[in-house]
Structure formats: structure tokens, C-alpha cells
């Protein structure tokens, strides 16, 4: 992907100011883009702004701020991404070797997708002031907070790592600012921030979704859970057991559990398999080496035992081109599914090629999707859009944000998480979505 010109312009824009008024990017296309899909409509006129500190009469989710209708003529948005600009351009504005380092690409592509969403919303008449921050730059999140640079923010969207998310979350909770953690698939140990949104669902949610799917999709089945004897995989196994205990269905089948390691033979695994019914094999390995190791063992037993193998969300990038895997039916879970046939995806693909002279990556689609979705919510419902998020129409991905209560008896959500999980079968040329 050729990002040289766009990154130079980004660096120049950030050096002058991190403020983009009305989403005006410093990186413009050399050819005109005619705007968002024709099905989109202009925003409705704004209501008169209300005092952010107005006392609320009712409190959705037991959070007083959520009952306030706070609409503004212009919204302040903070966009965070790991751009590594200070590292890449430490000595000059030229990129060494004329190629962007691989470690930069995910954050840059997330930013590019988000920026195109903001530009598109500007074309629809949204008035926005956007501050872009490099989470891997010299200026730390702590210094931004201490300088009060984020105090006037109405919405934070970002690609964060664990420590960055926790630090930003503490600030967002204190200031009652909605925060969207764009790509991190966990809660970073956060259990008390109802202003936090997690679109990239946690592993516990994936385990529940896989369990419920296999219980409901197969009427007569033998469910086998294969795990290694590690603290992490033991915890995933406990999540599956918890889903089984919580499921209220007389037709659910018990989960048989087996521990494996590199020395485990296919014959040893066959002891858990049956010949007269589908064998639903759930594998808790997240790493590619572990996943392929257990798949090789299962492939040797597949001739005699019919099986469907369900893996973790990290299996989305797993390449199973080896001949030994050809006969296996392999599935994985994902909070995102994009066949790129919808109007928004086609629009983004065209817009991205015109602007950056490249095809958008999955990270660019995520940046666009999340930014468009949440900024539209902000504009339509005001600063505290939380009670409207469940009914908000999708852009590219279908989200299902639900309150999560980490501790029993809680009245206030620990955070909001996307509970919509797709079950996807790996295919030779493309993957196929199994559930609706």
C-alpha cells in the first residue's frame, strides 16, 4: 500500500495543529468524490443546545447523565490511533526506504477509515471539531489529561492498547464522556465505566456465542472441548461451562472436556469422538501454531469420525492451505462480518481508492464503520445517546450493544459491549457466514 504522500500530509497537518474543524482533513483526494451513498439523508435541524449539567428526571441504566438531552451546534470529537509519527519521522519528513513500517499500518489504516467517515459526515452537514492524537507519540495520554486538552470533548473514539484504554476510561468516566474502544477485544480490567463501549467483543462473549450456536444448530451431537493445561485456556473452558450452566434448554448436550498437548496422539483424541452423530469439537487455542497442531491431530481422526471444529476469533486470519486440512469443516467467531457488497462498503472502497490510491484494509473498514455509527448517534441523539444505541441502524457491521454487569446485583452497567457474534465457516476462496 502506497501511503507516502498521505502520511506526509498527515504529519504536516498534525504539526500545525491537531484540530480539524468540521472534519476538514489535511489529506485531500486529487479527484472529486461525490459524497456518501444516495440513500443517506441530510441531518435533521438541531434542537436548541441544553445545559450539560441540567438535572435529569429519569436515569436510563441508573446513570443520571443518560437522562439529559444535550444537543449542540458543533460536537468535539477526539480520535486516537497508534500512528508512531515521532518514531517514523524522527530525523526528517522522509520515510526510510520509502516504505511504511509494518507496525504503523494498522493504526494508520484505522485513522484513514475514520477520517473518511468524518469527511463524509461533513458532506452531510454535520458540524464537528476533531482532534487527532497519536497514542504512540511523545505526548502521553496523561499529559493530555493534565493539560485539560480533552475536557471539552463530547465523544472519544480510538484504537487503544490495554494501559491506554484504562487511563482514558478513568478520565472519560470522571468527565462523563462516551468512549469507544475500537479494536481491543477485552475490557482492560475496567468494571465500573458505563460510558465505555466495546465493539470488538470480549472472549467471554465469544465463548457464550459459540456454545449457544452449537447447542441450537445441532439436535443430536457430541460436544468435545479441547484445551491445553494453561491458565488462559482453563479460563476459556470455564467460560464455556458457565454458558452451559446458564443455558435454559432441555435439549442441551453436556460438554465433554479433554486436555491435549504436543504429544497427544490422534488415537487418544478419538476416545472422545463418536461415529453415530456429529462431533462438535471446540478448540480454545488462540495462537496459530497451537491451532494448526491440534487441527493436524483432528484431521487424522476425521476419516472415521464426522466432526465440525469451532475455533477462536483469532482464527479469522488462519490459512489452511495445506492438503491435510482440506477435508476439515472449520468455523470461528467474529464480531465483524463484511462481504463488501453493501452500499457503505462500496462507497468506502471507491472513496478510499480516490483519496489514498489503494484498497481499504479490514482495519480501514472498522475505522469508517465505528466512526460513522457513533458520530451519527451523537448528532441524532445528543451527547448522551446511550439509551438509543440499541435501536440505532447499522452502517456496515450489525452491532448489538448491551449493558454488561460484571458483579451480581449491580444497578449500573460496568460497560456496554457488542453482543452480536457471527459464526463463520472458513472457505477455500472466501469465508461464509452461518448465522443471521
Amino acid at each position: 500500500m502506497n501511503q507516502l504522500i498521505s502520511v506526509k500530509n498527515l504529519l504536516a497537518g498534525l504539526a500545525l495543529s491537531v484540530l480539524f474543524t468540521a472534519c476538514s482533513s489535511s489529506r485531500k483526494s486529487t479527484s472529486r468524490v461525490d459524497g456518501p451513498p444516495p440513500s443517506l439523508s441530510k441531518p435533521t435541524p438541531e434542537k436548541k443546545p441544553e445545559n450539560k449539567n441540567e438535572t435529569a428526571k429519569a436515569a436510563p441504566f441508573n446513570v443520571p447523565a443518560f437522562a439529559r438531552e444535550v444537543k449542540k451546534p458543533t460536537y468535539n470529537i477526539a480520535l486516537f490511533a497508534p500512528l508512531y509519527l515521532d518514531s517514523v519521522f524522527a530525523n526528517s519528513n522522509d520515510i526510510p526506504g520509502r516504505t511504511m513500517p509494518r507496525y504503523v499500518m494498522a493504526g494508520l489504516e484505522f485513522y484513514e477509515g475514520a477520517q473518511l467517515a468524518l469527511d463524509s459526515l461533513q458532506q452531510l452537514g454535520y458540524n464537528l471539531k476533531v482532534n487527532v492524537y497519536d497514542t504512540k507519540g511523545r505526548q502521553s495520554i496523561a499529559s493530555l489529561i493534565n493539560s485539560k486538552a480533552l475536557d471539552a470533548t463530547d465523544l472519544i473514539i480510538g484504537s487503544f492498547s490495554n494501559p491506554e484504554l484504562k487511563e482514558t476510561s478513568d478520565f472519560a468516566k470522571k468527565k462523563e464522556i462516551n468512549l469507544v474502544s475500537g479494536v481491543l477485544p477485552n475490557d482492560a480490567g475496567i468494571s465500573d465505566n458505563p460510558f465505555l463501549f466495546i465493539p470488538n467483543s470480549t472472549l467471554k462473549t465469544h465463548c457464550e456465542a459459540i456454545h449457544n450456536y452449537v447447542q441450537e444448530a445441532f439436535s443430536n451431537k457430541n460436544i468435545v472441548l479441547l484445551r491445553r493445561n494453561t491458565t488462559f485456556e482453563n479460563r476459556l473452558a470455564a467460560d464455556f461451562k458457565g454458558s452451559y450452566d446458564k443455558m435454559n434448554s432441555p435439549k442441551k448436550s453436556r460438554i465433554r472436556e479433554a486436555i491435549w498437548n504436543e504429544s497427544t496422539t490422534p488415537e487418544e483424541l478419538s476416545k472422545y469422538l463418536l461415529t453415530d452423530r456429529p462431533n462438535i469439537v471446540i478448540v480454545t487455542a488462540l495462537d496459530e501454531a497451537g491451532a494448526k497442531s491440534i487441527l493436524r491431530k483432528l484431521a487424522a481422526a476425521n476419516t472415521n469420525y464426522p466432526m465440525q471444529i469451532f475455533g477462536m476469533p483469532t482464527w479469522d486470519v488462519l490459512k489452511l492451505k495445506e492438503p491435510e486440512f482440506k477435508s476439515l469443516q472449520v468455523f470461528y467467531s467474529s464480531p465483524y462480518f463484511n462481504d463488501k457488497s453493501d452500499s457503505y462498503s462500496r462507497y468506502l472502497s471507491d472513496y478510499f481508492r480516490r483519496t489514498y490510491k489503494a484498497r481499504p484494509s479490514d482495519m480501514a473498514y472498522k475505522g469508517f464503520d465505528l466512526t460513522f455509527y457513533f458520530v451519527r448517534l451523537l448528532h441524532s441523539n445528543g451527547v448522551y445517546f446511550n439509551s438509543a444505541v440499541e435501536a440505532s441502524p447499522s452502517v456496515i457491521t450489525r452491532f448489538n450493544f448491551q449493558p454488561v454487569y460484571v458483579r451480581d446485583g449491580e444497578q449500573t452497567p460496568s460497560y456496554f459491549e457488542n453482543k452480536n457474534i457471527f459464526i463463520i465457516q472458513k472457505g477455500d476462496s472466501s469465508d461464509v457466514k452461518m448465522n443471521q
Side-chain angles (χ1 to χ4, degrees), residues 82-111:
L83 300 171
Y84 295 91
L85 295 179
D86 292 330
S87 300
V88 176
F89 300 99
N91 300 316
S92 71
N93 284 351
D94 291 325
I95 300 174
R98 307 291 293 172
T99 303
M100 286 296 294
R102 180 177 291 273
Y103 64 84
V104 174
M105 298 310 297
L108 177 61
E109 290 163 352
F110 181 87
Y111 161 80

Side-chain angles (χ1 to χ4, degrees), residues 120-295:
S120 301
L121 292 166
Q122 178 198 12
Q123 295 175 40
L124 288 174
Y126 287 45
N127 295 317
L128 309 168
K129 290 183 179 179
V130 182
N131 288 319
V132 179
Y133 299 103
D134 182 359
T135 60
K136 302 302 180 183
R138 293 191 183 95
Q139 188 174 27
S140 66
I141 290 176
S143 66
L144 287 172
I145 293 172
N146 292 334
S147 69
K148 301 188 182 302
L150 301 175
D151 282 10
T153 303
D154 298 309
L155 175 64
I156 301 172
I157 301 174
S159 174
F160 298 101
S161 64
N162 269 30
E164 295 160 356
L165 178 58
K166 181 65 170 66
E167 196 170 20
T168 310
S169 174
D170 290 343
F171 166 79
K173 178 187 175 184
K174 179 180 178 181
K175 295 294 184 178
E176 298 185 335
I177 300 170
N178 278 317
L179 163 64
V180 180
S181 173
V183 299
L184 194 65
N186 63 66
D187 58 21
I190 299 164
S191 61
D192 60 352
N193 186 3
F195 297 90
L196 172 64
F197 287 87
I198 302 178
N200 196 9
S201 315
T202 63
L203 282 172
K204 183 176 182 179
T205 294
H206 282 273
C207 292
E208 182 174 359
I210 292 171
H211 170 264
N212 291 346
Y213 177 82
V214 300
Q215 291 283 8
E216 295 167 359
F218 301 91
S219 58
N220 185 27
K221 66 273 187 185
N222 173 43
I223 303 177
V224 180
L225 188 146
L226 298 180
R227 65 171 176 87
R228 290 172 290 190
N229 192 20
T230 66
T231 301
F232 186 77
E233 293 196 29
N234 291 347
R235 191 175 72 196
L236 292 180
D239 288 336
F240 278 105
K241 292 175 185 175
S243 298
Y244 175 86
D245 292 339
K246 186 169 66 174
M247 188 177 202
N248 184 20
S249 171
K251 297 182 179 180
K252 68 180 181 181
S253 299
R254 71 184 181 94
I255 301 175
R256 305 173 70 195
E257 187 174 337
I259 299 175
W260 69 278
N261 54 46
E262 289 301 320
S263 63
T264 301
T265 65
E267 290 73 24
E268 290 174 317
L269 293 176
S270 297
K271 296 176 182 178
Y272 297 92
L273 304 175
L274 302 176
T275 58
D276 62 343
R277 68 194 68 184
N279 294 283
I280 311 303
V281 181
I282 301 173
V283 179
T284 56
L286 271 73
D287 60 299
E288 180 175 350
K292 286 193 171 182
S293 177
I294 189 62
L295 286 175

Side-chain angles (χ1 to χ4, degrees), residues 387-406:
S387 61
V389 70
E390 188 175 350
S392 182
S394 62
V395 179
I396 295 175
T397 299
R398 187 173 70 250
F399 295 115
N400 177 23
F401 287 100
Q402 296 292 327
V404 173
Y405 301 90
V406 173

